[in-house]
């Protein structure tokens, strides 16, 4: 069993957001607007964190094509609540845990986390993780969540750690430039970004064994073959990941 039972009180994402003073967000995704909440996890109490986790954990499992496990639970929970911001987007209406969660019914559909670091006196936005429910992918929801974070923070750098070529391509499209590591090798100093995360990256941006294993049940494939070639250099089964960095 991977969940701690909630109390019997009626709890909705909107009521949790209101008690946590979360900022209401509206994004113009493809074909439809979507609404959600920008949480500051440090302002959410433990029982409500449990509600948020239980609401979002299935999205993470579906996005990574994984079965429930203690390892996946810990990884997703840690990412959700160690961030400075947690953006939760929902389908139209107010999601209530235990209600009808079929496609088209009100429910959470995506989330993104981020935090900020000072790198050599400049603001660096770390994109700590993102998941979009597979049935809602292809509507630019992930792109809009990332754009929201960049617009809110106005950083000098954007960086992330990933095993996913699609995630790197998506970030690059938003920024309008190819992030490091590049398809055609170009030297870049990853050291301060890796050290901010307590990691060590080689000259190619690889963090060996970062996750301990592959996060994906099925490895994601980008439509851009150049990105796939870059990620083939990783031993993802051993948990290797790339530290991707771009200056704005």
């Amino acid at each position: 069993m991977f969940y701690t039972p909630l109390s019997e009180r009626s709890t909705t994402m909107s009521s949790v957001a209101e008690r946590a003073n979360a900022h209401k967000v509206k994004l113009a995704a493809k074909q439809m607007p979507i609404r959600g909440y920008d949480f500051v996890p440090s302002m959410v109490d433990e029982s409500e964190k449990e509600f948020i986790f239980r609401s979002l954990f299935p999205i993470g499992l579906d996005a990574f094509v994984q079965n429930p496990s203690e390892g996946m639970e810990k990884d997703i929970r840690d990412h959700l609540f160690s961030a400075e911001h947690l953006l939760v987007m929902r389908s139209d209406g107010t999601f209530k845990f235990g209600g009808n969660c079929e496609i088209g019914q009100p429910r959470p559909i995506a989330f993104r986390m981020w935090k900020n670091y000072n790198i050599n006196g400049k603001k660096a936005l770390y994109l700590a993780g993102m998941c979009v429910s597979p049935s809602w992918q292809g509507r630019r929801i992930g792109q809009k969540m990332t754009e929201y974070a960049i617009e809110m923070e106005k950083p000098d750098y954007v960086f992330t750690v990933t095993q996913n070529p699609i995630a790197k391509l998506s970030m690059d499209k938003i920024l309008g430039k190819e992030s490091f590591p590049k398809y055609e090798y170009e030297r870049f100093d990853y050291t301060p970004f890796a050290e901010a995360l307590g990691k060590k990256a080689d000259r190619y941006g690889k963090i060996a064994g970062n996750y301990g294993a592959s996060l994906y049940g099925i490895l994601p494939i980008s439509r851009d073959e150049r990105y796939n070639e870059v990620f083939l250099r990783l031993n993802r089964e051993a948990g290797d990941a790339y530290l991707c960095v771009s200056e704005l």
Side-chain angles (χ1 to χ4, degrees):
M1 178 176 178
F2 305 108
Y3 301 128
T4 301
L6 290 172
S7 66
E8 294 300 319
R9 66 175 178 153
S10 176
T11 305
T12 63
M13 192 64 75
S14 60
S15 66
V16 170
E18 183 176 358
R19 288 191 291 271
N21 294 315
H23 179 66
K24 292 183 179 180
V25 176
K26 182 178 179 180
L27 303 179
K30 185 178 180 181
Q31 299 178 337
M32 61 180 294
I34 56 170
R35 296 172 173 81
Y37 309 99
D38 179 356
F39 288 94
V40 176
S42 62
M43 297 179 65
V44 182
D45 71 29
E46 292 304 316
S47 63
E48 291 171 344
K49 283 181 180 179
E50 183 65 19
F51 172 80
I52 293 172
F53 171 74
R54 289 184 61 177
S55 304
L56 303 184
F57 187 47
I59 299 174
L61 293 178
D62 287 346
F64 288 108
V65 195
Q66 293 281 13
N67 293 318
S69 69
E70 292 182 1
M72 283 299 296
E73 176 187 352
K74 183 178 186 307
D75 185 69
I76 292 175
R77 192 186 293 271
D78 288 349
H79 275 76
L80 288 174
F81 302 122
S82 65
E84 292 174 4
H85 287 267
L86 166 61
L87 182 61
V88 178
M89 305 308 299
R90 58 175 172 80
S91 63
D92 192 29
T94 301
F95 171 76
K96 184 172 182 179
F97 188 82
N100 188 342
C101 292
E102 295 179 0
I103 302 302
Q105 295 297 319
R107 67 191 184 106
I109 56 174
F111 59 92
R112 164 166 284 299
M113 299 80 72
W114 69 90
K115 62 175 67 174
N116 294 289
Y117 291 92
N118 184 312
I119 304 291
N120 296 331
K122 294 186 176 182
K123 187 175 184 178
L125 173 66
Y126 175 56
L127 301 174
M130 177 182 74
C131 288
V132 179
S133 178
S135 58
W136 288 84
Q137 291 176 7
R139 304 190 190 199
R140 298 178 186 165
I141 294 173
Q143 174 184 331
K144 293 299 179 180
M145 291 194 297
T146 302
E147 288 176 350
Y148 171 83
I150 293 171
E151 182 179 344
M152 289 293 291
E153 302 297 346
K154 296 178 172 52
D156 300 297
Y157 294 97
V158 175
F159 69 118
T160 192
V161 174
T162 186
Q163 296 180 324
N164 186 346
I166 300 173
K168 183 179 188 298
L169 177 60
S170 176
M171 186 176 87
D172 290 359
K173 284 184 175 180
I174 293 167
L175 300 177
K177 61 175 70 176
E178 186 180 4
S179 61
F180 292 92
K182 296 185 176 182
Y183 176 74
E184 295 183 359
Y185 175 69
E186 185 176 336
R187 183 175 291 278
F188 181 80
D189 183 10
Y190 296 94
T191 304
F193 299 91
E195 288 180 347
L197 301 175
K199 307 287 185 179
K200 184 176 181 180
D202 68 14
R203 62 176 179 167
Y204 303 106
K206 182 180 76 173
I207 302 176
N210 183 72
Y211 296 115
S214 173
L215 293 182
Y216 296 88
I218 299 175
L219 292 180
I221 299 175
S222 168
R223 293 180 181 179
D224 190 322
E225 285 300 325
R226 298 194 322 151
Y227 283 73
N228 293 328
E229 288 184 36
V230 171
F231 277 76
L232 282 175
R233 302 169 193 166
L234 294 179
N235 182 350
R236 283 181 279 194
E237 293 303 316
D240 293 358
Y242 274 131
L243 175 57
C244 304
V245 186
S246 181
E247 185 172 10
L248 274 68

